[in-house]
Amino acid sequence: MATLLSVNVGTPQDVSWQGRTVHTGAWKSPVHGPRMVRRLNIDGDGQGDLAGHGGEIRAVLVYQLQAYQYWQKQLGRDDLTFGIFGENFTVDGMPDDDVCIGDRYRIGEAEFEVTQPRVTCYRVGMRLGEPAMASLLVAHHRPGFYLRVLAEGRVQAGDEITLTRKGAEELSVADTDALLYLPDRDPAKLRKALNIPALSPGWQQSFRELAAAQQPKQEPGWPGELTSTQQPGEEPGWPGFKTMRVARIVPETPTVSSVYLDTTDTPLPEARPGQYLSIRLAIGDAAPAVRSYSLSSAPTAGTYRISVKHEPHGKVSSYIHATLHPGDLVDIASPRGTFVLEEGTRPIVLISAGIGVTPVLAMLHQLAATRDQRPVWWIHTAHDRAHHAFADETRTLLAQLPNAHEYTYYTAGAAPHLGEPHITQGRPNAQSLAAMGVPTDTDAYLCGPPAFMDDLGGYLRDHGLRPERIHREQFSALPAINPGVTPTTAIRPHQPPGAPGTGPLITFARSGITTPWSPAHASLLDLAEACDIPTRWSCRTGVCHTCITHLVAGDITYSTQPLELPEAGTILVCCSEPATEIVLDL
């Protein structure tokens, strides 16, 4: 018979960590006597990051005495007191390889249901002073698990734990955890996981994506081996940068010019509509600058087109507009990016503002080239007629589609001319979007300033579109994902403090920073943070893949072995370091 050994609670507190402040409820201590367990929490308990912890599905975290004994030996520790793993219930029995998702238990007066394994989170490593702990919990098949509260009631140390019902499919916590985080997944177990109603919605979605995904034919290099930009089985392209020629430069508006690029050797691979190129330019005596620009048309025989807006203080855009000439040779990385037009039969809405038109214009080229039968809504916002790039080109393409709808908005300038019912003064809003008749089963593609995409994405969700069908492309650095870290004033990316490194050059293409590597940094993630580049991470130990980043050029090695390697052409920056000069899409 399993037994509840300790009830542990703690309210969120601010903890200093690596020069930052983390708001966390991971510090929990045993309490004596009965405690009321409610639908969202135990009285006296709380979570600092409700996006990753807590809530109805993750109301109570459980960890086992047997796991404590295991880690005491593995870590050589004799100071592991109950609650140190962040758990609410420390139990004797209920091992992760025996308890199943959907199992129901009675403890004291309350009833519970198992919903998912523990979330992989760096804060358990903070609490224990073991930075790799999130990875170790998964690798050693001892994650612990969450409970949903079916019936509220009082519990206390010493209560017996009674199994009242086995979960559907009888898939253990350890097997469920391994399905998400470890390689060599068992397809039969994956099918089981998709058939468990009690499994939390987030894990269900992850397993649906895994079931739909095609596994790579060969994984990139293991720790100590090189991981590069291209691996066997990857789509056609080229590793790193290749030399291309500027065929011509065409002004589109007073601030936007299109650069046509052709190859100097082999034919160019076909890019997917919506993908981007990275261009490397030697400007002055500084290290070469790397920027990324979306392809603005469907690639034709031997030619790519990018369209660049001149930013007043932009070093690269200024060079392209003032100094680059036809015949010049430039270094170009292979097309990449996941903001791509998907095949299917659902209607399509293409929404853009300003220079954000470029990737959706490439999608429109593809739709027109194939005379796609799907209904298409084209919604574009520009400053005025003079700054409306590709207006004529867009109208020509839309005329080739059997079911196209065009809506253009000018935020300034003169009123629209007569005979131009598709042009409106102002900006699109919820009311105008509803009046367009966009179906709720539409696939939407948005590109423009972040605030514009936030607004339009919200209008689309309110209109009834499912969030997973609203795709966004952002030209600048992606919004940071730093769970639990107290926000501070945003700082423009800069060179890292201290003496410059002497290692290979590291270029963060989205942020416009190139800096030499120094072994003083524990990982590429650590270097990015030193430069105040927005980063995205959760476990920081190679488990969760939140930090996955496109490797544009160069080779890296893994200093800590990821539990599962990312797909070819991408790396986990939390546990990697450069082997050569590299360019990251960060």
Side-chain angles (χ1 to χ4, degrees):
M1 177 70 71
T3 305
L4 178 59
L5 297 179
S6 180
V7 178
N8 315 300
V9 301
T11 54
Q13 57 183 291
D14 289 337
V15 179
S16 178
W17 174 76
Q18 296 188 5
R20 285 166 282 189
T21 299
V22 177
H23 190 64
T24 176
W27 269 251
K28 301 190 186 299
S29 302
V31 293
H32 302 290
R35 279 289 167 126
M36 188 68 181
V37 179
R38 305 187 189 277
R39 184 175 62 87
L40 297 179
N41 234 325
I42 302 173
D43 282 358
D45 192 48
Q47 294 81 29
D49 172 24
L50 292 177
H53 304 273
E56 185 174 351
I57 297 297
R58 299 172 299 216
V60 177
L61 180 60
V62 178
Y63 211 51
Q64 308 89 351
L65 173 64
Q66 290 72 23
Y68 267 85
Q69 294 167 343
Y70 178 84
W71 293 118
Q72 285 172 346
K73 294 180 181 178
Q74 288 289 319
L75 303 175
R77 300 274 294 266
D78 61 3
D79 59 343
L80 302 182
T81 55
F82 290 163
I84 200 170
F85 284 89
E87 81 276 10
N88 299 112
F89 289 172
T90 313
V91 301
D92 185 3
M94 302 180 72
D96 290 336
D97 56 3
D98 184 40
V99 172
C100 296
I101 305 298
D103 283 358
R104 293 187 175 186
Y105 294 91
R106 173 172 286 279
I107 309 174
E109 299 174 351
E111 295 184 11
F112 305 88
E113 182 177 61
V114 180
T115 57
Q116 67 172 68
R118 174 201 297 265
V119 175
T120 57
C121 174
Y122 72 104
R123 281 161 287 201
V124 67
M126 283 178 56
R127 180 69 179 90
L128 275 81
E130 301 280 353
M133 202 66 221
S135 175
L136 294 173
L137 292 174
V138 176
H140 291 247
H141 306 283
R142 287 171 170 81
F145 54 88
Y146 285 102
L147 299 174
R148 178 165 70 100
V149 179
L150 300 177
E152 296 181 351
R154 290 173 297 179
V155 301
Q156 63 181 325
D159 283 343
E160 291 186 350
I161 301 173
T162 303
L163 176 67
T164 60
R165 194 182 81 176
K166 288 297 292 181
E169 302 294 344
E170 298 192 12
L171 187 66
S172 75
V173 168
D175 283 346
T176 304
D177 198 57
L179 272 179
L180 186 61
Y181 293 123
L182 299 178
D184 303 320
R185 294 177 180 88
D186 183 339
K189 289 181 179 178
L190 189 55
R191 288 191 294 270
K192 281 187 175 184
L194 292 169
N195 197 37
I196 303 176
L199 184 64
S200 69
W203 283 62
Q204 289 182 19
Q205 178 63 25
S206 294
F207 287 141
R208 281 194 294 269
E209 293 171 357
L210 285 171
Q214 294 183 348
Q215 297 299 313
K217 295 180 181 178
Q218 180 172 332
E219 293 181 323
W222 289 97
E225 300 175 358
L226 297 182
T227 292
S228 62
T229 56
Q230 189 173 26
Q231 299 290 332
E234 192 179 356
E235 292 183 2
W238 60 86
F241 288 88
K242 69 176 292 183
T243 301
M244 296 184 68
R245 179 185 294 110
V246 177
R248 57 193 174 110
I249 300 175
V250 177
E252 307 287 357
T253 72
T255 58
V256 175
S257 291
S258 290
V259 180
Y260 290 77
L261 303 164
D262 62 23
T263 182
T264 59
D265 45 32
T266 57
L268 295 173
E270 182 175 343
R272 299 180 67 185
Q275 289 189 309
Y276 61 87
L277 298 175
S278 293
I279 182 170
R280 183 170 64 189
L281 297 168
I283 303 175
D285 296 329
V290 178
R291 298 292 187 272
S292 296
Y293 299 104
S294 293
L295 289 160
S296 57
S297 69
T300 55
T303 303
Y304 288 150
R305 182 181 78 175
I306 59 174
S307 301
V308 180
K309 180 182 178 182
H310 179 210
E311 302 291 350
H313 303 290
K315 178 173 70 173
V316 174
S317 68
S318 296
Y319 179 88
I320 289 174
H321 279 258
T323 307
L324 195 67
H325 295 98
D328 287 352
L329 300 180
V330 293
D331 292 336
I332 300 292
S334 183
R336 67 190 68 238
T338 58
F339 181 73
V340 295
L341 181 66
E342 297 180 356
E343 297 181 357
T345 58
R346 291 192 294 267
I348 296 171
V349 58
L350 304 174
I351 304 177
S352 58
I355 196 60
V357 70
T358 52
V360 292
L361 180 59
M363 296 179 184
L364 185 61
H365 269 277
Q366 177 68 20
L367 293 168
T370 59
R371 301 296 193 272
D372 200 288
Q373 298 298 305
R374 287 175 284 182
V376 175
W377 278 259
W378 176 268
I379 305 170
H380 179 67
T381 301
H383 182 72
D384 54 28
R385 189 179 304 275
H387 292 85
H388 183 179
F390 310 109
D392 293 338
E393 182 176 324
T394 297
R395 299 221 76 193
T396 300
L397 295 170
L398 289 168
Q400 299 173 32
L401 295 172
N403 194 357
H405 311 267
E406 181 182 6
Y407 298 89
T408 299
Y409 292 83
Y410 292 154
T411 59
H417 298 164
L418 292 175
E420 295 181 327
H422 64 286
I423 298 178
T424 302
Q425 197 80 19
R427 303 176 189 273
N429 55 38
Q431 291 73 28
S432 61
L433 190 68
M436 295 175 192
V438 176
T440 58
D441 64 342
T442 294
D443 285 322
Y445 299 87
L446 283 71
C447 188
F452 171 84
M453 292 192 290
D454 289 343
D455 288 345
L456 270 295
Y459 300 154
L460 291 170
R461 289 191 298 273
D462 293 343
H463 185 63
L465 270 69
R466 291 164 54 179
E468 63 268 23
R469 291 184 180 169
I470 302 174
H471 311 279
R472 298 169 44 137
E473 177 72 315
Q474 186 161 319
F475 293 153
S476 59
L478 298 174
I481 299 177
N482 304 158
V485 175
T486 302
T488 57
T489 303
I491 300 174
R492 187 180 181 88
H494 54 80
Q495 292 293 318
T502 58
L505 288 177
I506 313 300
T507 296
F508 299 101
R510 285 181 182 262
S511 303
I513 295 294
T514 297
T515 189
W517 170 255
S518 168
H521 300 290
S523 65
L524 289 165
L525 173 61
D526 187 49
L527 173 60
E529 291 177 330
C531 298
D532 280 307
I533 290 169
T535 55
R536 303 161 74 89
W537 49 263
S538 180
C539 73
R540 301 181 71 95
T541 57
V543 180
C544 69
H545 286 215
T546 304
C547 72
I548 192 168
T549 301
H550 280 285
L551 179 64
V552 178
D555 301 313
I556 63 99
T557 60
Y558 283 111
S559 52
T560 299
Q561 176 175 320
L563 297 186
E564 182 177 30
L565 289 160
E567 64 182 13
T570 64
I571 65 168
L572 303 181
V573 293
C574 74
C575 54
S576 57
E577 56 189 39
T580 65
E581 291 189 3
I582 64 171
V583 177
L584 296 172
D585 184 29
L586 195 64

